[in-house]
Amino acid sequence: MEADLISNHTRILLIRCSDEPGLIHRITGFLAKIGANIIGNQEFVEPLQRVFFMRTEYSIQKEEEDKTILSELLQILPKDAELKLSTSRKARVVLLATKEPHCLGDILLRWRYGELPMDLLGVISNHETLGDLARDFKVPFVFIPSDGMTREEHETKVQERLQEMQPDWIVLAKYMRILTPEFVRNWGNRILNIHHSFLPAFVGAKPYEQAYKRGVKIIGATAHIVTENLDEGPILVQDVCHVDHGYSPERLVLYGRDLEKVVLAKALRLLLEDRVMIFQNRTIVFE
């Protein structure tokens, strides 16, 4: 019961503003004045444009309106300051998938055992292939076939279901369809994607076969926020593993899938814990 009480009074404060002397002192001093106990604090100054970023996790026992806290903070920060104050509410997440099970299955397993603290609203897919997997975890599965439809027609149906669900985050768990710019704009900076990090060197079909023919020595995966420019959005997490000439295309696929699911899960956890701040086309990640 006590742990729940503390959790209900925990906040995560994200701040971005122009850098100037005394910012950390002003912010932490204000939090001390209202009786907050700082649990963790991280800051970073972008060196080229002198932009200040800060993530502060604190607990507070007395009732204090979040809007009031933000309003008072804005009065002591530079005029261009942008603030976000998050509560202990779990983020609402929808997963989009097609036929490949590795990323979807990994996220479902981590969610079931509490590694990904989120409210999982459901899985949307343009194929029925992964329906049994979702239902095994008692997660709603929404099948929206795309055969015979244009991208725009299919996305309209997907959009209707997403509007009903109202997710904070949409995760493309190997969702093998290119999203239209309009769809991306509707969910600006709220779509997470995973892809093999061969791009743009190995574009198109069968990237692992292309990599095999080139004799690559590393393979990798990249998790990024989706933007209108395909696979060029802000990067959250990347990882690689070393391979050699003896790896067949099938073995490269196996190792690549291992990387993809781990990288995607790590990126999603960072988002769920409010550890990511987007600045232009890059991310500030507080781990």
Side-chain angles (χ1 to χ4, degrees), residues 178-181 184 224-234 281:
I178 297 174
L179 301 174
T180 64
V184 174
H224 67 96
I225 298 296
V226 177
T227 63
E228 296 177 40
N229 297 321
L230 183 64
D231 294 329
E232 295 183 15
N281 198 45

Side-chain angles (χ1 to χ4, degrees), residues 32 45 275 277 282:
V45 176
R275 296 184 179 275
M277 300 181 72
R282 60 180 295 201

Side-chain angles (χ1 to χ4, degrees), residues 151-202:
R151 274 198 302 165
E152 291 77 10
E153 290 170 339
H154 182 253
E155 282 185 359
T156 296
K157 294 183 176 296
V158 174
Q159 181 82 310
E160 289 172 356
R161 296 308 299 266
L162 288 172
Q163 291 291 354
E164 293 172 7
M165 296 175 169
Q166 286 297 303
D168 298 305
W169 294 104
I170 299 169
V171 179
L172 308 183
K174 300 300 289 184
Y175 184 65
M176 307 306 289
R177 290 180 64 81
I178 297 174
L179 301 174
T180 64
E182 182 180 0
F183 185 94
V184 174
R185 282 194 296 270
N186 286 335
W187 300 95
N189 287 338
R190 288 192 285 163
I191 306 174
L192 176 65
N193 187 38
I194 184 70
H195 69 67
H196 51 82
S197 60
F198 301 134
L199 294 175
F202 300 111

